[in-house]
Amino acid sequence: MGEVEISGAKNAAVAIIPATILADGPCIIENVPNISDVSIAIRILYEMGADIKMINKSTIQIDSTRIMEPVVPYEMARHMRASYYFLGTLLGKFGRARVSMPGGCDLGDRPIDQHIKAFKALGASCVIDHGMVNAYADNLVGAQIYLDVVTVGATINAMLAAVKASGLTVIENAAKEPHVVDLANFLNSMGADIMGAGTDVIKIRGVSKLNGANYSIIPDQIEAGTFMIAAAATKGDVLIKNIIPKHLEPITAKLEKIGVNIEEFDDSIRVWVDGPLVKTSVKTMPHPGFPTDMQPQIAALLTLAEGTSIITEGVWDNRFRYVDELRRMGADISVDGKVAVIEGTGRLTGAPVKATDLRAGAALIIAGLAATGTTEIEDIYHIERGYENMDLKLRGLGADIIKRNIPGSAVRKAIG
Ligand code: EPU
C-alpha cells in the first residue's frame, strides 16, 4: 500500500492570507500549501508592505501592520481569482479598497455582483473603473445580507468586511464549504465574534480590534479527493494522510457507488479497488453536495467504468472544456450544455493533451496514469496553481511521471 500526505487547503489559504491584514499584530499560519496561488497572495501582501517570514516549509509569519495603502496593483491581482478577498479585508480594515477585477480559471461567467451587494449592504459604495473595483465607506454598519446564489467568494468577502463593522451582520443563504468555516475559525481566533459558519446563516457581531493569531489551515479536501480518484483509476491501494474524513463524505459516498473500497481512520483514509468500476450519475452542487472542483477528475474515472454515466454541472456554466482532451485519449463523452454523457470504454490511451484549467489538469493526470502508453500534458502551470508537488507525490506512490520545463513556458506560468 502506498502513502501520500495531503497539503493545506488552497481555497482556505487564499482567504486566510489576505485576512491577516485585519490583525493588529503578526499571525503565524501553519499548513500553508506551496502552490502558485498562495505565492501570489503572499507576494501581494509583501508588495503592499507586509513583513513575511518563512518559519519552515509550510509555516509562515505575516505581519501586515505596516500596510498603509489599501490598493492591490492591477498586474498582481489579475493573475488570481481569489485576489477579490483583498477587497473585503481592506474594506474591513481601512474602510477603503482598490483592487483589480479578478482573474482565475475560465469556467464561464464569473460575476462578483453578490460581493458588491454585500459591501453595499454594509454601507460601502462600489464603483468599477479602469478594470479596478473601488469600495469606500465612512462607517461600515452591520446589516442583513441575503445572497441570491450560494457563493463561496461572496460569503467569505462579506465576513471579511463585516468582522469589524459596528453591530450585527447576518449573512443568509451562505456557502457552507469547509474553507468558509476555516476562515471563520481563523477570524474568531483573532478575536472576532462569528457564529453559524458551516450553516446557511452566519451571524457576525462586529468587534473593534483583532489580534494576531497562530492558526493551522485545514487539509485540502480537493487534493485528497484527487488522490482518491487517482488510486481508484489505477486500481491501486493508497493511504491518504492528513485529511478530515468528514470533509470528504460527498466524494467518498460517490466513489463507493462506483465500486471503490474506502476505509476511514481519524485523520487518514484508505482507498483501494478489487473489483469492477460501475457507472453512476453525478450532479455537482454547493457543499455538502458533490464538489464542482472534483467534476473533471470523476469524469476521468467514469471513462474507465462499465456502462453509461451522466454528469450534471450545477455550479459553473462552462466546466467541460477538458472533454476534448479526454477524447484524444479515447474517451467517449458527449456534452450538451451542463450535462455530459460518458460511455465507459474501460480503457484510455496516452496522447499529447493540454490542461485547460486547474482541475482539468488534475483529470488529465488521472487519465494519463490509467492510460496505456505515454501522456504528455502541456500548460501544467494551471495544475501548479493548486497542487503542491503533484509529480513528487505521485512518484512516491509508484507513478512514472516527470515534470519538464519547456523554454518559454515560464512567462505564461503566472496567468492563473
Ligand atoms: N456567483 C454569482 N455572483 C457572485 C459570485 C458567484 O452569480 O457574485 C455564481 C457563480 O457564477 C457560480 C456560483 O455563484 O455559478 C458559485 O460561485 P462561487 O462564488 O462559489 O465561486 P468562487 O468563490 O469564485 C470558489 C473556488 C472555486 C470553486 C467555487 C465553487 C476559491 C478561490 N475558488 O470560487 O475553486 O469552484 O468556489 O465551490 O475559493 C478551484 O479550486 O478549482 C476552483 C475553481
Side-chain angles (χ1 to χ4, degrees), residues 85-198:
Y85 292 143
F86 284 90
L87 268 176
T89 196
L90 290 170
L91 185 62
K93 172 89 174 190
F94 298 100
R96 289 182 296 136
R98 183 168 161 79
V99 181
S100 147
M101 287 289 281
C105 287
D106 179 6
L107 310 174
D109 201 16
R110 297 187 77 172
I112 58 163
D113 57 302
Q114 298 302 306
H115 304 234
I116 306 275
K117 177 179 171 176
F119 299 150
K120 285 187 171 166
L122 294 168
S125 49
C126 297
V127 179
I128 298 173
D129 67 32
H130 306 289
M132 305 287 281
V133 186
N134 301 277
Y136 171 83
D138 282 330
N139 279 308
L140 289 169
V141 181
Q144 192 92 3
I145 302 169
Y146 182 84
L147 298 174
D148 301 336
V149 283
V150 180
T151 131
V152 171
T155 302
I156 287 182
N157 247 337
M159 277 199 279
L160 291 167
V163 76
K164 293 185 78 185
S166 55
L168 180 69
T169 296
V170 180
I171 307 172
E172 288 185 82
N173 200 26
K176 299 183 281 233
E177 269 67 6
H179 32 288
V180 172
V181 180
D182 208 35
L183 175 74
N185 288 341
F186 173 57
L187 292 171
N188 282 342
S189 74
M190 290 158 74
D193 183 357
I194 303 176
M195 283 187 319

